[in-house]
Amino acid sequence: MGDQKDLKNTSAAEKIKDLAEDIKTCILCTYKEGKLQSRPMSFQEIDEDGNIFFLSDKNSNKNAEINENSKVELVFAQPHDKFLFLHGNASVSYDRKRIKELWNPIIKVWMTGGEDDPNLSIIKFVPEDGYYWNNKHGKMVAIAKMTVAFVTGKTMDDGIEGNLKL
């Protein structure tokens, strides 16, 4: 079993930022009629408090679901290397100045009207708690240790995991 290191407040926010910025894409899970609704999303920014900002179409299902139930889950995964699960609340806003700050030209693939598209909105995710796991020494060392463990039959866990509380 790997090492356990629970993190709170600033340390938790720093771990969220570190892992999420490295993984880059997550599964955003909302709720509709008690069922989990999931879709891949790339975020635009993570602030120093661990809040995560996405740009979204104001007419999307995810926006409607967030407006009905603000409870949201985010799942980040980089196989054999890094995992981050977050529980929190999301809100939708239409701050045009902030949309321009978050804008990235690649978003035009989904929002063809560009940064001035009137259908653009911001989803702000505020984490409450979560769980992380990552390896201690990087992916190559983890793969080497997994290979040795497989060949020798000995456990060689290189992981570190913990709960996050903001």
PDB file of all heavy atoms in Angstrom, residues 31-46:
ATOM      1  N   TYR A  31     -26.034  16.179 -12.255  1.00  0.00           N
ATOM      2  CA  TYR A  31     -27.139  15.271 -11.930  1.00  0.00           C
ATOM      3  C   TYR A  31     -28.414  15.728 -12.616  1.00  0.00           C
ATOM      4  O   TYR A  31     -28.715  16.916 -12.661  1.00  0.00           O
ATOM      5  CB  TYR A  31     -27.362  15.228 -10.415  1.00  0.00           C
ATOM      6  CG  TYR A  31     -26.211  14.579  -9.694  1.00  0.00           C
ATOM      7  CD1 TYR A  31     -25.138  15.331  -9.248  1.00  0.00           C
ATOM      8  CD2 TYR A  31     -26.186  13.207  -9.485  1.00  0.00           C
ATOM      9  CE1 TYR A  31     -24.059  14.736  -8.606  1.00  0.00           C
ATOM     10  CE2 TYR A  31     -25.123  12.589  -8.841  1.00  0.00           C
ATOM     11  CZ  TYR A  31     -24.063  13.369  -8.398  1.00  0.00           C
ATOM     12  OH  TYR A  31     -23.002  12.775  -7.771  1.00  0.00           O
ATOM     13  N   LYS A  32     -29.147  14.757 -13.161  1.00  0.00           N
ATOM     14  CA  LYS A  32     -30.454  15.020 -13.761  1.00  0.00           C
ATOM     15  C   LYS A  32     -31.381  13.904 -13.312  1.00  0.00           C
ATOM     16  O   LYS A  32     -31.099  12.731 -13.585  1.00  0.00           O
ATOM     17  CB  LYS A  32     -30.364  15.055 -15.283  1.00  0.00           C
ATOM     18  CG  LYS A  32     -31.687  15.349 -15.953  1.00  0.00           C
ATOM     19  CD  LYS A  32     -31.540  15.420 -17.453  1.00  0.00           C
ATOM     20  CE  LYS A  32     -32.882  15.724 -18.084  1.00  0.00           C
ATOM     21  NZ  LYS A  32     -32.770  15.787 -19.543  1.00  0.00           N
ATOM     22  N   GLU A  33     -32.417  14.283 -12.620  1.00  0.00           N
ATOM     23  CA  GLU A  33     -33.398  13.323 -12.110  1.00  0.00           C
ATOM     24  C   GLU A  33     -32.708  12.201 -11.328  1.00  0.00           C
ATOM     25  O   GLU A  33     -33.046  11.023 -11.467  1.00  0.00           O
ATOM     26  CB  GLU A  33     -34.244  12.783 -13.260  1.00  0.00           C
ATOM     27  CG  GLU A  33     -35.025  13.884 -13.972  1.00  0.00           C
ATOM     28  CD  GLU A  33     -35.703  13.417 -15.251  1.00  0.00           C
ATOM     29  OE1 GLU A  33     -35.611  12.218 -15.592  1.00  0.00           O
ATOM     30  OE2 GLU A  33     -36.307  14.269 -15.922  1.00  0.00           O
ATOM     31  N   GLY A  34     -31.702  12.577 -10.528  1.00  0.00           N
ATOM     32  CA  GLY A  34     -31.001  11.630  -9.670  1.00  0.00           C
ATOM     33  C   GLY A  34     -29.948  10.779 -10.361  1.00  0.00           C
ATOM     34  O   GLY A  34     -29.287   9.979  -9.715  1.00  0.00           O
ATOM     35  N   LYS A  35     -29.782  10.953 -11.674  1.00  0.00           N
ATOM     36  CA  LYS A  35     -28.795  10.161 -12.409  1.00  0.00           C
ATOM     37  C   LYS A  35     -27.603  11.045 -12.784  1.00  0.00           C
ATOM     38  O   LYS A  35     -27.767  12.212 -13.142  1.00  0.00           O
ATOM     39  CB  LYS A  35     -29.398   9.566 -13.672  1.00  0.00           C
ATOM     40  CG  LYS A  35     -30.413   8.493 -13.391  1.00  0.00           C
ATOM     41  CD  LYS A  35     -30.892   7.863 -14.683  1.00  0.00           C
ATOM     42  CE  LYS A  35     -31.915   6.779 -14.380  1.00  0.00           C
ATOM     43  NZ  LYS A  35     -32.415   6.176 -15.603  1.00  0.00           N
ATOM     44  N   LEU A  36     -26.425  10.429 -12.721  1.00  0.00           N
ATOM     45  CA  LEU A  36     -25.198  11.112 -13.081  1.00  0.00           C
ATOM     46  C   LEU A  36     -25.134  11.321 -14.589  1.00  0.00           C
ATOM     47  O   LEU A  36     -25.346  10.381 -15.363  1.00  0.00           O
ATOM     48  CB  LEU A  36     -24.018  10.259 -12.615  1.00  0.00           C
ATOM     49  CG  LEU A  36     -22.698  10.932 -12.362  1.00  0.00           C
ATOM     50  CD1 LEU A  36     -22.817  12.037 -11.324  1.00  0.00           C
ATOM     51  CD2 LEU A  36     -21.673   9.899 -11.899  1.00  0.00           C
ATOM     52  N   GLN A  37     -24.864  12.538 -15.004  1.00  0.00           N
ATOM     53  CA  GLN A  37     -24.697  12.883 -16.415  1.00  0.00           C
ATOM     54  C   GLN A  37     -23.231  13.312 -16.581  1.00  0.00           C
ATOM     55  O   GLN A  37     -22.782  14.235 -15.905  1.00  0.00           O
ATOM     56  CB  GLN A  37     -25.622  14.037 -16.806  1.00  0.00           C
ATOM     57  CG  GLN A  37     -27.078  13.816 -16.451  1.00  0.00           C
ATOM     58  CD  GLN A  37     -27.680  12.659 -17.209  1.00  0.00           C
ATOM     59  OE1 GLN A  37     -27.548  12.548 -18.425  1.00  0.00           O
ATOM     60  NE2 GLN A  37     -28.339  11.759 -16.493  1.00  0.00           N
ATOM     61  N   SER A  38     -22.503  12.672 -17.458  1.00  0.00           N
ATOM     62  CA  SER A  38     -21.061  12.898 -17.546  1.00  0.00           C
ATOM     63  C   SER A  38     -20.634  13.253 -18.961  1.00  0.00           C
ATOM     64  O   SER A  38     -21.173  12.726 -19.933  1.00  0.00           O
ATOM     65  CB  SER A  38     -20.309  11.639 -17.102  1.00  0.00           C
ATOM     66  OG  SER A  38     -20.727  11.247 -15.818  1.00  0.00           O
ATOM     67  N   ARG A  39     -19.623  14.136 -19.029  1.00  0.00           N
ATOM     68  CA  ARG A  39     -19.067  14.518 -20.314  1.00  0.00           C
ATOM     69  C   ARG A  39     -17.650  15.036 -20.115  1.00  0.00           C
ATOM     70  O   ARG A  39     -17.317  15.600 -19.066  1.00  0.00           O
ATOM     71  CB  ARG A  39     -19.907  15.557 -21.049  1.00  0.00           C
ATOM     72  CG  ARG A  39     -19.842  16.981 -20.530  1.00  0.00           C
ATOM     73  CD  ARG A  39     -20.649  17.301 -19.326  1.00  0.00           C
ATOM     74  NE  ARG A  39     -22.067  17.315 -19.578  1.00  0.00           N
ATOM     75  CZ  ARG A  39     -22.976  17.115 -18.626  1.00  0.00           C
ATOM     76  NH1 ARG A  39     -22.611  16.936 -17.383  1.00  0.00           N
ATOM     77  NH2 ARG A  39     -24.244  17.117 -18.884  1.00  0.00           N
ATOM     78  N   PRO A  40     -16.772  14.858 -21.131  1.00  0.00           N
ATOM     79  CA  PRO A  40     -15.406  15.369 -21.010  1.00  0.00           C
ATOM     80  C   PRO A  40     -15.394  16.886 -21.156  1.00  0.00           C
ATOM     81  O   PRO A  40     -16.170  17.448 -21.938  1.00  0.00           O
ATOM     82  CB  PRO A  40     -14.668  14.693 -22.166  1.00  0.00           C
ATOM     83  CG  PRO A  40     -15.737  14.366 -23.158  1.00  0.00           C
ATOM     84  CD  PRO A  40     -17.001  14.141 -22.385  1.00  0.00           C
ATOM     85  N   MET A  41     -14.523  17.506 -20.392  1.00  0.00           N
ATOM     86  CA  MET A  41     -14.380  18.969 -20.447  1.00  0.00           C
ATOM     87  C   MET A  41     -12.916  19.335 -20.226  1.00  0.00           C
ATOM     88  O   MET A  41     -12.219  18.689 -19.441  1.00  0.00           O
ATOM     89  CB  MET A  41     -15.206  19.653 -19.352  1.00  0.00           C
ATOM     90  CG  MET A  41     -16.700  19.528 -19.463  1.00  0.00           C
ATOM     91  SD  MET A  41     -17.431  20.597 -20.717  1.00  0.00           S
ATOM     92  CE  MET A  41     -17.217  22.213 -19.984  1.00  0.00           C
ATOM     93  N   SER A  42     -12.494  20.386 -20.879  1.00  0.00           N
ATOM     94  CA  SER A  42     -11.195  20.994 -20.603  1.00  0.00           C
ATOM     95  C   SER A  42     -11.469  22.316 -19.908  1.00  0.00           C
ATOM     96  O   SER A  42     -12.336  23.076 -20.337  1.00  0.00           O
ATOM     97  CB  SER A  42     -10.419  21.244 -21.895  1.00  0.00           C
ATOM     98  OG  SER A  42     -10.059  20.019 -22.481  1.00  0.00           O
ATOM     99  N   PHE A  43     -10.733  22.579 -18.864  1.00  0.00           N
ATOM    100  CA  PHE A  43     -10.946  23.817 -18.120  1.00  0.00           C
ATOM    101  C   PHE A  43     -10.059  24.923 -18.683  1.00  0.00           C
ATOM    102  O   PHE A  43      -9.075  24.666 -19.368  1.00  0.00           O
ATOM    103  CB  PHE A  43     -10.682  23.600 -16.624  1.00  0.00           C
ATOM    104  CG  PHE A  43      -9.280  23.159 -16.317  1.00  0.00           C
ATOM    105  CD1 PHE A  43      -8.270  24.081 -16.118  1.00  0.00           C
ATOM    106  CD2 PHE A  43      -8.974  21.817 -16.240  1.00  0.00           C
ATOM    107  CE1 PHE A  43      -6.980  23.674 -15.858  1.00  0.00           C
ATOM    108  CE2 PHE A  43      -7.690  21.390 -15.973  1.00  0.00           C
ATOM    109  CZ  PHE A  43      -6.678  22.328 -15.786  1.00  0.00           C
ATOM    110  N   GLN A  44     -10.431  26.163 -18.351  1.00  0.00           N
ATOM    111  CA  GLN A  44      -9.653  27.308 -18.798  1.00  0.00           C
ATOM    112  C   GLN A  44      -8.700  27.822 -17.720  1.00  0.00           C
ATOM    113  O   GLN A  44      -7.666  28.388 -18.035  1.00  0.00           O
ATOM    114  CB  GLN A  44     -10.582  28.459 -19.229  1.00  0.00           C
ATOM    115  CG  GLN A  44     -11.086  28.347 -20.652  1.00  0.00           C
ATOM    116  CD  GLN A  44     -11.861  27.077 -20.910  1.00  0.00           C
ATOM    117  OE1 GLN A  44     -12.850  26.790 -20.268  1.00  0.00           O
ATOM    118  NE2 GLN A  44     -11.401  26.281 -21.856  1.00  0.00           N
ATOM    119  N   GLU A  45      -9.087  27.635 -16.449  1.00  0.00           N
ATOM    120  CA  GLU A  45      -8.259  28.200 -15.383  1.00  0.00           C
ATOM    121  C   GLU A  45      -8.558  27.513 -14.052  1.00  0.00           C
ATOM    122  O   GLU A  45      -9.669  27.049 -13.823  1.00  0.00           O
ATOM    123  CB  GLU A  45      -8.556  29.698 -15.248  1.00  0.00           C
ATOM    124  CG  GLU A  45      -7.769  30.416 -14.186  1.00  0.00           C
ATOM    125  CD  GLU A  45      -8.138  31.893 -14.115  1.00  0.00           C
ATOM    126  OE1 GLU A  45      -7.791  32.629 -15.064  1.00  0.00           O
ATOM    127  OE2 GLU A  45      -8.802  32.294 -13.136  1.00  0.00           O
ATOM    128  N   ILE A  46      -7.538  27.455 -13.214  1.00  0.00           N
ATOM    129  CA  ILE A  46      -7.694  27.054 -11.818  1.00  0.00           C
ATOM    130  C   ILE A  46      -7.062  28.162 -10.990  1.00  0.00           C
ATOM    131  O   ILE A  46      -5.906  28.530 -11.212  1.00  0.00           O
ATOM    132  CB  ILE A  46      -6.979  25.726 -11.511  1.00  0.00           C
ATOM    133  CG1 ILE A  46      -7.508  24.609 -12.399  1.00  0.00           C
ATOM    134  CG2 ILE A  46      -7.151  25.357 -10.037  1.00  0.00           C
ATOM    135  CD1 ILE A  46      -6.778  23.298 -12.230  1.00  0.00           C
TER     136      ILE A  46
END
